[in-house]
Amino acid sequence: MDTTVTEIPEAQRLSLAHAPAGHRGQWLAFFSLDHALGRIVAGTSEAILGQMRLAWWRDQLGAPIETRPKGNPILSNISEFWAGDEEPLVELIDSWELLLVTDVMDDGALESFAQGRIAPFKALARRANSACDKSLIANAARCWALTDLSLHLSDADGRKNVQRLVKEHSQVNGALDRSMRPLAILEGLSRRALKQGRTSLVGDRLSPLFALRLGIFGR
């Protein structure tokens, strides 16, 4: 595993510490790609330019590993840990592209965005032989995907609308098993941020302790 891939948000770093040892590389590759895609979208002033950069990632994940360019640590980790199972990561790329090409992110568009970000979690659960119900995983992942999005929106009305959708459709249904502990941490931090009206998932001295408790007990 290329340990140089460290540019992921603090919430993901806290959750990664509790990933199963044999699957940590898969989680890291996913988190790194998701963060890179989000930065592309956030830093794009012209939609077509952002789409071109996203298309590069889509093309690389669809290409044989031996033809992929060397020197990109995120791509190297994907090639090592997601080889032959890149489709969920392509869905992730498609979901970020929605933010570039959709004029109005209504409830339907937001749900489509969430589904693309949920896809890698479902794949991680499958690869870890998680005993969790798929709907439980999807519900937890949706909570994080949309809450995280809302905290990065500059438009107050848009932020409130996304958070409304989270509260309406992301109910607490049960605990995730140990194989999905990183997701349990992200979901817990998301619900805490919403409840307390925070502007980030991790932003106070108690956040790491809260994440640690989730990592140990799952709730």
Side-chain angles (χ1 to χ4, degrees), residues 106-205:
D106 57 18
D107 288 5
L110 288 170
E111 180 60 24
S112 295
F113 169 79
Q115 287 301 319
R117 244 177 153 189
I118 290 169
F121 287 107
K122 290 182 176 179
L124 286 163
R126 168 174 49 79
R127 298 178 74 170
N129 296 315
S130 172
C132 291
D133 185 89
K134 292 181 180 179
S135 63
L136 186 62
I137 293 169
N139 186 58
R142 180 187 292 104
C143 178
W144 167 75
L146 293 178
T147 301
D148 179 66
L149 173 65
S150 75
L151 297 178
H152 289 85
L153 295 177
S154 58
D155 176 56
D157 290 337
R159 185 165 57 251
K160 289 178 181 178
N161 184 53
V162 178
Q163 292 180 354
R164 171 194 58 78
L165 191 64
V166 175
K167 293 174 181 177
E168 288 181 356
H169 299 285
S170 294
Q171 304 301 316
V172 180
N173 295 319
L176 296 167
D177 64 19
R178 182 164 293 278
S179 69
M180 298 303 292
R181 199 54 54 85
L183 176 55
I185 292 171
L186 292 177
E187 180 192 19
L189 289 171
S190 298
R191 295 191 185 281
R192 181 173 183 265
L194 288 176
K195 182 178 180 180
Q196 298 182 358
R198 296 190 172 278
T199 57
S200 64
L201 295 185
V202 180
D204 68 304
R205 61 185 179 83

Side-chain angles (χ1 to χ4, degrees), residues 59-71 75-76 78-80 82-84 86:
D59 291 345
Q60 296 309 317
L61 297 193
I65 291 178
E66 60 270 18
T67 67
R68 296 174 183 174
K70 309 299 181 183
L75 188 58
S76 295
I78 291 172
S79 296
E80 181 176 356
W82 287 81
E86 291 92 344

Side-chain angles (χ1 to χ4, degrees), residues 36-55 58 92-105 109 113 149 153:
L37 299 175
R39 291 184 65 179
I40 289 174
V41 172
T44 296
S45 57
E46 295 290 338
I48 187 62
L49 296 179
Q51 286 182 277
M52 291 173 63
R53 295 180 68 187
L54 294 178
R58 192 180 290 110
L92 178 67
I93 297 170
D94 294 343
S95 72
W96 280 107
E97 188 173 23
L98 274 175
L99 299 184
L100 292 177
V101 301
T102 306
D103 293 329
V104 179
M105 289 295 291
F113 169 79
L149 173 65
L153 295 177

